[in-house]
Amino acid sequence: MILEEIKTSLIMWFSYALIPCLFVDGVAVLPAPQNLSVQSTNMKHVLTWSPVTVPEEIIHYSVEYQGEYESLYTSHIWIPSSWCSPTQRPECDITEDTTATVSYSLRVRATLGSLTSAWSILKHRFNQNSTILTPPGMEITMDGFHLLIKLEDLGPHFEFFVFYWRREPGAKEHVKVVRPGVLPVYLETVEPGAEYCVKARTFVKAIGRHSAFSRTECVKVQGEALPLALALLAFVGFVLILVVALLSVWKMGRLLQHSCCPVVMLPDTLKITNSPQKLISCRKEEVETCVTSGLSSEELLKAWI
């Protein structure tokens, strides 16, 4: 009795295990994966399909692709995916396999031990130009009076166009191009009390496309703007300080000039008060008297010659 129950259980288990399989000429084969599609967002491409299910068994999948050249000239050659041959998951990241801007054919098959399914081929060829580009995530921050922005890292293919402006009538919109890896980004030195707005979008040079704009974010700078009168007063004070500094430099220059090269002034006793002709008539013994009368040493020398 026990042996019959075991025999019946084995037959039922074997029959149940073969339910997902098809029989062709008496040989069991796995059904091919169905519903192939590519989900491509921000230059990341993932091939997905409906899984083939066998109870208590692990199904493996193989993924292969053909570029435009292989499809046109060597259609019998398929290249195994470098990331998904084989794989147990019903999906495959084909981003690194489809880097050229051409159309690709993709196919998938399932294997279970010695059983192999037929290949399922993607209905429409895939081109990375069809990827969906989303606006970048961003965060506006302040460092003192410096306006900074942090952008979502989307990979090396992306550049960011950042638009920012002061929120006021007639304000000019500024644009800054940000390369990957330059984060956070300095935008502008802002004024206290003012409000600034920022928006951004991505650009992928490889496919020549850009995303839509992100949601505009605005931030108000803490503090109050200086009144006009106070700003004018500050300007006048700066001018006065500059004038005083220039005068101080000029005065110091004059003092240094007098210290290094002083001007020698003759005492009053050496200044000429009488005519040279009168002084010449003095006798030699009266020289001292002539000197006291106001003759300079230079004139006295001339008188003796």
Side-chain angles (χ1 to χ4, degrees), residues 68-76:
E68 194 171 81
Y69 176 82
E70 290 83 9
S71 298
L72 292 176
Y73 303 104
T74 57
S75 58
H76 64 284

Side-chain angles (χ1 to χ4, degrees), residues 83-153:
W83 300 97
C84 311
S85 289
T87 180
Q88 297 180 16
R89 303 178 62 184
E91 64 180 26
C92 176
D93 187 343
I94 58 171
T95 302
E96 298 300 324
D97 297 321
T98 57
T99 55
T101 311
V102 298
S103 298
Y104 288 88
S105 294
L106 298 160
R107 68 181 187 179
V108 183
R109 73 176 178 183
T111 58
L112 174 58
S114 60
L115 299 178
T116 302
S117 75
W119 288 100
S120 289
I121 300 178
L122 184 68
K123 184 179 297 185
H124 302 289
R125 296 171 64 86
F126 169 72
N127 191 313
Q128 66 176 356
N129 286 343
S130 62
T131 190
I132 298 173
L133 299 179
T134 62
M138 65 179 188
E139 180 184 354
I140 309 301
T141 58
M142 297 291 302
D143 183 9
F145 292 109
H146 295 160
L147 182 63
L148 306 176
I149 182 173
K150 293 182 180 179
L151 294 164
E152 178 184 6
D153 186 5

Side-chain angles (χ1 to χ4, degrees), residues 191-209:
E191 298 181 10
E195 187 173 6
Y196 293 82
C197 296
V198 182
K199 63 181 180 180
R201 67 181 181 182
T202 61
F203 177 74
V204 181
K205 188 176 181 180
I207 61 176
R209 290 177 49 209

Side-chain angles (χ1 to χ4, degrees), residues 157-280:
H157 297 287
F158 288 80
E159 293 179 347
F160 302 94
F161 284 76
V162 180
F163 296 75
Y164 60 97
W165 63 95
R166 181 169 176 170
R167 193 171 185 178
E168 61 182 7
K172 182 181 178 181
E173 192 175 70
H174 304 278
V175 183
K176 178 168 286 190
V177 180
V178 180
R179 302 289 188 269
V182 185
L183 300 173
V185 179
Y186 163 80
L187 294 180
E188 186 173 332
T189 301
V190 296
E191 298 181 10
E195 187 173 6
Y196 293 82
C197 296
V198 182
K199 63 181 180 180
R201 67 181 181 182
T202 61
F203 177 74
V204 181
K205 188 176 181 180
I207 61 176
R209 290 177 49 209
H210 57 73
S211 71
F213 280 107
S214 64
R215 183 173 58 88
T216 300
E217 296 188 18
C218 298
V219 60
K220 188 171 183 179
V221 185
Q222 298 297 323
E224 298 182 358
L226 292 176
L228 180 60
L230 184 58
L232 291 175
L233 183 62
F235 176 74
V236 171
F238 172 75
V239 173
L240 290 176
I241 292 174
L242 182 62
V243 170
V244 170
L246 292 175
L247 288 175
S248 300
V249 172
W250 176 80
K251 187 66 176 177
M252 289 297 296
R254 296 284 295 177
L255 291 175
L256 290 174
Q257 181 181 4
H258 285 294
S259 299
C260 298
C261 306
V263 178
V264 178
M265 300 297 294
L266 292 173
D268 293 338
T269 55
L270 297 180
K271 293 181 180 179
I272 299 175
T273 56
N274 297 321
S275 63
Q277 189 65 35
K278 181 178 179 181
L279 293 174
I280 293 173

